[in-house]
Amino acid sequence: MAKNILSILFLAFALNSGAQKTQHFSLKELPSKSVNELLTRGMISGEKGTIGYFTYKKGAVVPMHQHSNKQYSLITQGSVKVLTEGGEVIVKAGEGIIIPPNVPHSFVSLEDNTIDIDFFSPSRMDWITGSDNYYKDSNQKEPAKWTGEVLTPEIFASLDEAAGNIAFTPQGDLIYSLHPFFNPEIRVKKYDAKTKKSVPFPNLEWNTPRAADDHFLSNVLGVRSDENGIIWMLDMGQRNEVTPKIVGWNTRFNRLERIYYLPQITSKKNTQSNDFVVDTKHGFFIIADEGIGNGGDGSTASLLTVDMNTGITKRILEGHRTTLPENIPIKVDGKILTSGKNNLLVGCDGITADKDFEWLYYSPLNGTKIYRIKIQDLINVQFTDTDLNSKIETYSAKPNNGGLSIDIAGNLYLTAVESHSVSIVLAADRSVHTLASDEKMLWPDGVSYNATDGFMYVSAAQVHLGAAFNNGKNEARAPFYIFRFLPLSKGVSNR
């Protein structure tokens, strides 16, 4: 039986690997890593799958963790106890277990010389890059022990142009959009922390508009990553005559992964697609639309969902009480921001999801409340906006904010655009506090967690100093900073 299962396992690996020829290998001769004195792991990866070969001594523990990969585990010798949120099960030699994506689980070896062969699909990018830190990562600092005092964030990078949103590769490389408010020549860049220089991402060609095709970035603010090493860039298409799209770049193989075209976005004149969530559990992108494009007043703000399998886009909660801006002006350093003769009112902006992709948190920039809804309800095609209205919770209070992120404990991190600071909504009681502040944090915008070093990163874009708000004169000045600080609990990767 075990031999048959192994044959199927290897066949699955071969089919997923995308290889043009058969690969033969010995499990015992795979490149191995001594995780600790009780556990050794060998591995081999194809393009679409990874095989892990574990040898355990009695008492070895694979700590509780989760990943977006589906896992097939076969015990060929000895036995293990597998713990999940649903309980525990003993898996003996000749038996196996299948663990769906995003299910927290832990393994405990019950015997010496236990052998566990695992197959994962897609490939385990955290193993490939060495960024798996659920055992113990000496490079990742422990979360800050917060006493209630306001933290002083560290300046991580000084840039010549304004950064918009931030994402990270599995290796911890910082990818950022150049804020489109300032019409940058390059749309997205990668920052090298060693040289302190930035280069176009994914390359110069993708940052060069042309008439021949649309394989370039026109107008990007939202950038996000996923567990498979894909950097997703939301191209609003406003600076060139191109269809808006989401471009995915595979950082493992340095190639285009996929483009999702979004013609539905252009059907609304005032669409301004900003930040978004990459939900690999349900297979959806969820986009925040501010409703301020082409001089809009935020009244058409909404959420948009994009099905990763079909590419079908749906506009949800347009002009809803939870996506509309409240009439609360943005006031920075004593000055109210206006758009024409009216106060600048920005609709749905900040957006994030918890570690299990159960809840979506979102809010308008101008507003006093954060809302949340179960993602399973949001993507249910049977539900109308009326149906969804009854399923939305008012989660907490908030200041006028841009970006939104979350940690594994459920604490929310908000960039408070008016006060040069980052606010936090504590999960314990949903109270709102100022967590980190610096006078140089001018218009804190994007906020994202870097799983390789344990820091939360914040861009300061100086949007309020742009020409649109200063009688046609651009008052924004370099350097433009990216800050970082330690969150209260470990952050959630790709948020």
Side-chain angles (χ1 to χ4, degrees):
M1 176 182 174
K3 184 177 180 181
N4 291 337
I5 296 176
L6 276 172
S7 298
I8 295 171
L9 190 68
F10 293 157
L11 178 60
F13 176 77
L15 290 173
N16 276 290
S17 69
Q20 297 300 310
K21 59 183 180 179
T22 301
Q23 299 182 61
H24 178 263
F25 57 89
S26 169
L27 288 171
K28 293 182 179 180
E29 295 176 1
L30 291 177
S32 63
K33 169 184 177 181
S34 180
V35 177
N36 55 49
E37 60 184 17
L38 299 179
L39 191 164
T40 299
R41 182 186 76 205
M43 64 165 283
I44 184 171
S45 283
E47 186 170 326
K48 299 293 185 180
T50 295
I51 287 178
Y53 179 67
F54 290 86
T55 56
Y56 301 126
K57 292 182 179 179
K58 185 177 181 179
V61 176
V62 178
M64 189 67 70
H65 67 289
Q66 67 185 72
H67 40 71
S68 63
N69 320 75
K70 192 169 186 178
Q71 176 175 339
Y72 304 81
S73 296
L74 171 67
I75 305 302
T76 61
Q77 184 172 299
S79 59
V80 296
K81 178 170 63 176
V82 180
L83 298 93
T84 67
E85 293 179 339
E88 64 180 56
V89 60
I90 304 299
V91 185
K92 301 177 182 179
E95 299 177 349
I97 188 168
I98 299 174
I99 302 174
N102 301 299
V103 171
H105 57 279
S106 172
F107 279 44
V108 180
S109 176
L110 302 178
E111 303 177 43
D112 281 332
N113 301 314
T114 292
I115 296 177
D116 169 18
I117 302 173
D118 293 348
F119 171 67
F120 301 90
S121 180
S123 302
R124 285 293 300 265
M125 280 299 298
D126 56 341
W127 290 8
I128 294 168
T129 62
S131 59
D132 53 319
N133 53 26
Y134 48 87
Y135 292 98
K136 183 179 180 182
D137 187 350
S138 59
N139 294 322
Q140 187 181 71
K141 294 191 176 182
E142 288 299 314
K145 304 299 182 182
W146 195 48
T147 63
E149 295 183 4
V150 178
L151 306 175
T152 299
E154 169 191 351
I155 294 177
F156 174 77
S158 297
L159 308 174
D160 294 331
E161 297 177 275
N165 284 351
I166 298 168
F168 294 94
T169 68
Q171 299 93 329
D173 294 327
L174 190 152
I175 311 296
Y176 64 96
S177 60
L178 282 300
H179 205 293
F181 189 77
F182 299 102
N183 294 318
E185 180 179 352
I186 303 298
R187 277 56 168 177
V188 181
K189 288 186 176 182
K190 179 171 75 171
Y191 179 76
D192 188 322
K194 293 182 180 179
T195 65
K196 301 187 184 303
K197 296 184 182 299
S198 298
V199 295
F201 180 87
N203 50 50
L204 182 59
E205 181 182 7
W206 268 94
N207 282 275
T208 305
R210 54 189 174 273
D213 59 65
D214 64 356
H215 278 209
F216 62 86
L217 301 171
S218 172
N219 203 35
V220 177
L221 181 54
V223 291
R224 284 292 167 192
S225 56
D226 68 20
E227 297 90 336
N228 302 311
I230 313 300
I231 296 293
W232 297 99
M233 298 164 281
L234 177 53
D235 184 358
M236 297 178 283
Q238 295 165 324
R239 291 173 63 183
N240 307 87
E241 293 185 6
V242 294
T243 302
K245 57 188 179 290
I246 300 174
V247 177
W249 192 263
N250 188 316
T251 60
R252 180 184 175 194
F253 297 106
N254 192 31
R255 69 187 186 201
L256 178 66
E257 180 73 12
R258 182 168 177 177
I259 297 176
Y260 292 89
Y261 288 99
L262 310 173
Q264 295 88 340
I265 285 182
T266 59
S267 66
K268 291 289 182 180
K269 175 184 176 182
N270 301 131
T271 291
Q272 177 89 358
S273 301
N274 185 5
D275 203 357
F276 62 110
V277 166
V278 182
D279 180 352
T280 51
K281 179 178 180 180
H282 298 99
F284 276 83
F285 299 102
I286 307 173
I287 304 170
D289 176 9
E290 299 172 324
I292 60 169
N294 298 307
D297 59 3
S299 61
T300 60
S302 67
L303 293 172
L304 297 114
T305 60
V306 183
D307 188 317
M308 292 181 181
N309 292 318
T310 65
I312 294 175
T313 301
K314 183 180 179 182
R315 187 178 293 272
I316 300 171
L317 301 175
E318 179 181 337
H320 189 262
R321 60 183 175 84
T322 63
T323 57
L324 285 174
E326 297 179 41
N327 190 20
I328 299 175
I330 303 170
K331 189 175 183 180
V332 184
D333 297 332
K335 181 179 179 179
I336 293 177
L337 270 61
T338 59
S339 177
K341 297 181 180 180
N342 302 312
N343 293 334
L344 176 66
L345 298 177
V346 182
C348 193
D349 190 341
I351 187 170
T352 194
D354 67 3
K355 63 182 180 64
D356 299 319
F357 288 114
E358 179 182 9
W359 292 97
L360 181 81
Y361 296 83
Y362 66 98
S363 64
L365 190 155
N366 296 72
T368 58
K369 301 178 182 68
I370 294 175
Y371 303 95
R372 75 173 186 176
I373 185 172
K374 287 192 173 182
I375 295 177
Q376 193 64 58
D377 290 332
L378 187 72
I379 63 176
N380 189 326
V381 296
Q382 302 300 321
F383 288 162
T384 65
D385 283 2
T386 302
D387 297 325
L388 293 176
N389 182 65
S390 64
K391 299 180 181 298
I392 298 171
E393 297 182 10
T394 299
Y395 183 74
S396 72
K398 75 170 188 74
N400 283 344
N401 79 288
L404 190 60
S405 190
I406 196 168
D407 65 27
I408 60 173
N411 301 307
L412 292 172
Y413 300 81
L414 305 78
T415 50
V417 297
E418 298 173 310
S419 56
H420 315 301
S421 65
V422 176
S423 295
I424 186 168
V425 178
L426 297 176
D429 59 6
R430 304 187 185 184
S431 58
V432 185
H433 308 267
T434 298
L435 176 64
S437 180
D438 191 306
E439 285 302 310
K440 296 178 182 177
M441 194 183 286
L442 303 174
W443 194 278
D445 199 348
V447 54
S448 294
Y449 179 68
N450 185 352
T452 62
D453 64 17
F455 281 90
M456 197 75 74
Y457 285 70
V458 177
S459 60
Q462 300 188 33
V463 168
H464 63 297
L465 298 178
F469 308 120
N470 292 278
N471 299 316
K473 183 179 180 182
N474 182 16
E475 300 286 354
R477 295 289 182 270
F480 297 86
Y481 296 113
I482 293 177
F483 294 85
R484 69 178 185 177
F485 61 90
L486 289 172
L488 300 194
S489 293
K490 288 183 179 179
V492 179
S493 297
N494 312 303
R495 308 286 199 279

Short mmCIF file of all heavy atoms in Angstrom, two decimals, residues 41 48 76 110 232 245-246 261 325 356 406 428 441 450 460:
data_model
loop_
_atom_site.label_atom_id
_atom_site.label_comp_id
_atom_site.label_asym_id
_atom_site.label_seq_id
_atom_site.Cartn_x
_atom_site.Cartn_y
_atom_site.Cartn_z
N ARG A 41 15.10 17.65 7.55
CA ARG A 41 14.20 17.77 6.40
C ARG A 41 15.00 17.84 5.09
O ARG A 41 15.88 18.68 4.93
CB ARG A 41 13.34 19.04 6.52
CG ARG A 41 12.33 19.21 5.37
CD ARG A 41 11.63 20.55 5.47
NE ARG A 41 12.47 21.64 5.04
CZ ARG A 41 12.32 22.90 5.45
NH1 ARG A 41 11.40 23.20 6.34
NH2 ARG A 41 13.12 23.86 5.00
N LYS A 48 5.61 23.42 -9.85
CA LYS A 48 4.29 23.53 -9.23
C LYS A 48 4.14 22.71 -7.94
O LYS A 48 3.05 22.64 -7.38
CB LYS A 48 3.21 23.08 -10.22
CG LYS A 48 3.13 23.92 -11.49
CD LYS A 48 2.66 25.33 -11.20
CE LYS A 48 2.48 26.11 -12.50
NZ LYS A 48 2.03 27.50 -12.25
N THR A 76 5.84 6.47 6.51
CA THR A 76 6.32 5.16 6.04
C THR A 76 6.99 4.36 7.14
O THR A 76 7.22 3.16 6.98
CB THR A 76 7.31 5.34 4.88
OG1 THR A 76 8.45 6.08 5.33
CG2 THR A 76 6.65 6.07 3.72
N LEU A 110 6.03 10.35 17.62
CA LEU A 110 5.79 9.46 18.75
C LEU A 110 6.84 8.37 18.88
O LEU A 110 6.87 7.65 19.90
CB LEU A 110 4.40 8.82 18.62
CG LEU A 110 3.22 9.80 18.53
CD1 LEU A 110 1.92 9.03 18.35
CD2 LEU A 110 3.16 10.70 19.75
N TRP A 232 1.63 41.10 -7.00
CA TRP A 232 0.46 41.53 -7.78
C TRP A 232 0.40 43.05 -7.79
O TRP A 232 0.46 43.69 -6.73
CB TRP A 232 -0.82 40.95 -7.18
CG TRP A 232 -0.86 39.45 -7.22
CD1 TRP A 232 -0.58 38.59 -6.20
CD2 TRP A 232 -1.21 38.64 -8.35
NE1 TRP A 232 -0.73 37.29 -6.62
CE2 TRP A 232 -1.11 37.29 -7.94
CE3 TRP A 232 -1.59 38.93 -9.67
CZ2 TRP A 232 -1.38 36.22 -8.80
CZ3 TRP A 232 -1.86 37.87 -10.52
CH2 TRP A 232 -1.76 36.54 -10.08
N LYS A 245 -5.86 46.59 -15.19
CA LYS A 245 -5.51 45.18 -15.06
C LYS A 245 -4.77 44.93 -13.74
O LYS A 245 -4.24 45.86 -13.13
CB LYS A 245 -4.63 44.74 -16.23
CG LYS A 245 -3.34 45.55 -16.40
CD LYS A 245 -2.62 45.18 -17.68
CE LYS A 245 -1.34 45.99 -17.89
NZ LYS A 245 -1.62 47.40 -18.21
N ILE A 246 -4.77 43.68 -13.33
CA ILE A 246 -3.91 43.22 -12.24
C ILE A 246 -2.82 42.37 -12.87
O ILE A 246 -3.09 41.39 -13.56
CB ILE A 246 -4.69 42.39 -11.21
CG1 ILE A 246 -5.82 43.21 -10.57
CG2 ILE A 246 -3.76 41.88 -10.12
CD1 ILE A 246 -6.72 42.41 -9.64
N TYR A 261 -7.56 41.21 -16.69
CA TYR A 261 -8.07 42.47 -17.22
C TYR A 261 -9.37 42.85 -16.51
O TYR A 261 -10.20 41.98 -16.19
CB TYR A 261 -8.28 42.37 -18.72
CG TYR A 261 -6.98 42.35 -19.49
CD1 TYR A 261 -6.43 41.15 -19.93
CD2 TYR A 261 -6.29 43.53 -19.73
CE1 TYR A 261 -5.22 41.13 -20.60
CE2 TYR A 261 -5.08 43.52 -20.41
CZ TYR A 261 -4.55 42.32 -20.84
OH TYR A 261 -3.34 42.30 -21.51
N PRO A 325 -17.57 57.99 1.94
CA PRO A 325 -16.86 58.82 2.92
C PRO A 325 -17.84 59.58 3.79
O PRO A 325 -18.94 59.95 3.34
CB PRO A 325 -16.05 59.78 2.04
CG PRO A 325 -16.85 59.89 0.76
CD PRO A 325 -17.47 58.53 0.57
N ASP A 356 -6.65 34.02 8.66
CA ASP A 356 -7.36 32.85 8.12
C ASP A 356 -8.25 33.18 6.93
O ASP A 356 -9.00 32.33 6.46
CB ASP A 356 -8.21 32.20 9.22
CG ASP A 356 -7.38 31.72 10.39
OD1 ASP A 356 -6.29 31.16 10.15
OD2 ASP A 356 -7.80 31.93 11.55
N ILE A 406 -2.78 44.03 9.61
CA ILE A 406 -3.27 43.25 10.75
C ILE A 406 -2.17 42.31 11.23
O ILE A 406 -1.25 41.97 10.47
CB ILE A 406 -4.53 42.45 10.33
CG1 ILE A 406 -5.31 41.92 11.54
CG2 ILE A 406 -4.15 41.33 9.37
CD1 ILE A 406 -6.69 41.38 11.18
N ALA A 428 -8.24 43.07 21.73
CA ALA A 428 -8.78 42.70 23.04
C ALA A 428 -10.06 43.45 23.37
O ALA A 428 -11.03 42.87 23.88
CB ALA A 428 -7.74 42.94 24.13
N MET A 441 6.92 61.66 9.31
CA MET A 441 5.99 60.73 8.68
C MET A 441 4.86 61.54 8.05
O MET A 441 3.73 61.60 8.55
CB MET A 441 5.46 59.72 9.71
CG MET A 441 4.76 58.52 9.10
SD MET A 441 4.08 57.39 10.35
CE MET A 441 5.56 56.61 10.97
N ASN A 450 6.63 42.55 6.91
CA ASN A 450 7.71 41.78 6.31
C ASN A 450 8.00 40.58 7.20
O ASN A 450 8.56 40.71 8.29
CB ASN A 450 8.97 42.64 6.16
CG ASN A 450 10.09 41.93 5.44
OD1 ASN A 450 10.02 40.75 5.16
ND2 ASN A 450 11.16 42.67 5.14
N ALA A 460 5.68 57.11 3.66
CA ALA A 460 5.22 58.48 3.92
C ALA A 460 5.25 59.23 2.59
O ALA A 460 6.32 59.59 2.09
CB ALA A 460 6.10 59.17 4.95
#
